[in-house]
Amino acid sequence: MSIKKDKYFINLANNLAKNYLGYSGPNPSVGAIIVKNNKVLSFGSTNFSGRPHAEVNALNKLTFKDKKNSTIYISLEPCSHFGKTPPCVNELINSKVKKVVYSAEDVDERTSGKAYKILKSSKIEVKKNILNNISKDIYKNYFYSKINQIPVVYGKLAISKDFYTKNLNKKYITNELSLRTTHILRSKVNCILSTSKTINDDNPKLDCRIDGLKNSSPQVAILDKNLKININSYIVKNAKFNRTYLFYNKIDKNKIKLLKSKKIILIYTPLHNNKLNFSFILKKLFKYEISSLLVEGGKTLTLSLLKDNLFKEFYLFISPQSLNKTGSIKINGIKSKLSKKFKKIKYNEIFLDKDNLIHYY
């Protein structure tokens, strides 16, 4: 098959991968297209849980006769290690496919660069790095997380026109479209991180409350240096239904026992500059298979992480209203601070009715 056709079908696989970014759990979102006689016979994407993988989902739709001597196009190098499921390269070999074409090599050391040799040794034709520049962009955050062994950190903040983060007269600063967009952002990450102060002040749910996305609510992580979290908060009461981590430093045996009885995973955390060591927290969350983290905290946490260049992307929601005397907690110059930190990176500006969303990345 010509390189032009290879690029055409790889592009389809890459588009499948894009469609499910953020919804494949700890695993990367992968797209797979099976072709025979220039016709698409089947396609597959990584499941919401991360398993089965895209290749297996595409293969399972076909009979052995259809699979035999077919070509499969994959957005990412097929896995070659035994994990919770058998390696995808074994499935490809057993299916007697004639040719495997993939766009990007994986950076996972268990797989990276191995599929090519394994498939070639089984007399399967292999092409790699087709439209590699596109797939590298798709997987930039996955690669970052795997290489650095920490989650990708996204920031989110809502402010009024005059830079207040709270309205003393209303629960929300922004409009319904902005709120729904926030729920979509939550659905695309593994975990939301906040602080006990935010939990105690606002009693947030930190879940997805949009039809169709309720099962995509992320796990929750709470920074609580001195174990001040309110036992009667929504997050604590619902920890038995949604995995919740709490990072602390102060030893309070009674509070620890009580929180553990609520099914909260407590993680003792060392201090750095008298604050919970955030590097330790990120590494620990990664070990719990969390590869993406949305920070929904207050002024102090946001500015601290911004100062330390820990945000890979940031979503700033801006209401058109000035709060004046009804506003509380002001962050002057937040737009200029973000623009400075992301000055070498693009950003998109989106209008949500009268609200404005600036996506820095």
Side-chain angles (χ1 to χ4, degrees):
M1 190 173 286
S2 69
I3 187 64
K4 184 176 180 180
K5 288 182 179 178
D6 283 341
K7 287 182 177 179
Y8 174 80
F9 290 117
I10 276 291
N11 191 52
L12 293 181
N14 281 341
N15 283 338
L16 275 176
K18 285 181 191 176
N19 287 341
Y20 290 92
L21 278 177
Y23 292 115
S24 54
N27 291 338
S29 174
V30 177
I33 304 283
I34 298 178
V35 177
K36 201 171 187 180
N37 299 323
N38 292 326
K39 293 182 179 180
V40 174
L41 298 186
S42 178
F43 63 89
S45 301
T46 309
N47 266 31
F48 283 95
S49 62
R51 304 173 187 87
H53 293 180
E55 302 93 319
V56 174
N57 283 330
L59 290 167
N60 284 346
K61 295 176 183 178
L62 300 177
T63 64
F64 179 77
K65 182 180 178 181
D66 284 334
K67 289 184 280 192
K68 188 176 181 181
N69 294 321
S70 66
T71 298
I72 184 167
Y73 293 88
I74 316 166
S75 59
L76 186 67
E77 177 181 2
C79 67
S80 53
H81 64 279
F82 279 89
K84 294 182 180 179
T85 56
C88 287
V89 290
N90 288 10
E91 298 289 338
L92 296 170
I93 293 167
N94 293 335
S95 297
K96 301 295 181 183
V97 299
K98 182 180 180 180
K99 181 178 175 181
V100 175
V101 184
Y102 55 91
S103 188
E105 287 188 286
D106 202 343
V107 296
D108 188 327
E109 61 182 16
R110 299 170 298 176
T111 286
S112 185
K114 297 175 183 177
Y116 187 88
K117 293 179 181 179
I118 294 171
L119 294 169
K120 291 285 279 187
S121 68
S122 295
K123 311 301 181 185
I124 294 173
E125 184 182 350
V126 186
K127 283 188 177 182
K128 60 181 180 178
N129 298 325
I130 305 297
L131 296 182
N132 182 256
N133 59 323
I134 295 174
S135 56
K136 277 187 174 180
D137 187 58
I138 294 170
Y139 293 112
K140 62 182 179 181
N141 285 339
Y142 164 69
F143 288 167
Y144 172 87
S145 179
K146 274 292 180 187
I147 291 169
N148 294 286
Q149 300 283 288
I150 59 173
V152 174
V153 182
Y154 302 88
K156 173 257 169 183
L157 189 69
I159 60 172
S160 64
K161 186 178 179 180
D162 50 352
F163 305 109
Y164 287 104
T165 62
K166 289 192 176 187
N167 186 339
L168 297 176
N169 293 339
K170 288 176 65 178
K171 185 173 182 178
Y172 300 114
I173 284 178
T174 51
N175 65 25
E176 183 63 25
L177 283 175
S178 291
L179 294 174
R180 291 173 70 85
T181 302
T182 295
H183 286 244
I184 293 170
L185 293 178
R186 289 174 177 175
S187 75
K188 294 173 74 69
V189 296
N190 304 142
C191 186
I192 292 180
L193 182 138
S194 193
T195 65
S196 58
K197 184 178 187 311
T198 296
I199 301 301
N200 293 344
D201 289 350
D202 303 337
N203 196 24
K205 294 183 177 180
L206 303 180
D207 57 4
C208 301
R209 297 188 295 280
I210 295 179
D211 288 344
L213 292 179
K214 292 180 181 178
N215 292 331
S216 298
S217 291
Q219 299 172 52
V220 174
I222 306 299
L223 305 184
D224 189 11
K225 176 183 171 183
N226 295 314
L227 292 175
K228 291 183 177 181
I229 195 165
N230 185 344
I231 292 296
N232 294 314
S233 64
Y234 179 91
I235 292 298
V236 172
K237 286 183 175 180
N238 284 270
K240 59 185 175 184
F241 303 114
N242 186 27
R243 179 172 278 196
T244 302
Y245 311 90
L246 190 141
F247 295 89
Y248 72 101
N249 180 263
K250 180 181 177 180
I251 302 299
D252 182 335
K253 292 183 179 180
N254 291 332
K255 189 73 173 278
I256 289 170
K257 183 178 180 180
L258 185 55
L259 290 169
K260 283 184 176 180
S261 73
K262 301 292 184 180
K263 306 302 180 185
I264 290 178
I265 299 168
L266 281 96
I267 302 169
Y268 177 80
T269 306
L271 299 181
H272 177 70
N273 293 331
N274 204 36
K275 296 184 293 185
L276 293 175
N277 188 319
F278 205 74
S279 177
F280 172 91
I281 290 166
L282 291 179
K283 289 174 182 177
K284 184 65 70 172
L285 288 172
F286 184 83
K287 289 182 178 179
Y288 281 102
E289 294 192 325
I290 290 170
S291 59
S292 54
L293 186 69
L294 177 64
V295 176
E296 291 196 38
K299 176 180 178 178
T300 302
L301 178 61
T302 300
L303 292 180
S304 174
L305 299 187
L306 191 59
K307 180 182 177 183
D308 293 338
N309 292 311
L310 287 169
F311 291 118
K312 289 289 287 180
E313 298 185 29
F314 200 95
Y315 296 86
L316 182 66
F317 293 85
I318 307 171
S319 164
Q321 295 181 332
S322 293
L323 297 182
N324 299 314
K325 292 182 179 180
T326 64
S328 174
I329 308 180
K330 195 171 189 178
I331 308 184
N332 283 319
I334 182 64
K335 286 177 68 176
S336 61
K337 286 181 173 67
L338 285 165
S339 296
K340 185 177 180 180
K341 292 294 181 182
F342 289 89
K343 63 183 178 181
K344 295 182 180 179
I345 307 175
K346 299 176 289 186
Y347 70 88
N348 286 333
E349 194 165 4
I350 302 161
F351 293 97
L352 300 166
D353 193 12
K354 294 181 180 180
D355 281 1
N356 187 18
L357 166 60
I358 303 178
H359 176 203
Y360 299 86
Y361 61 99

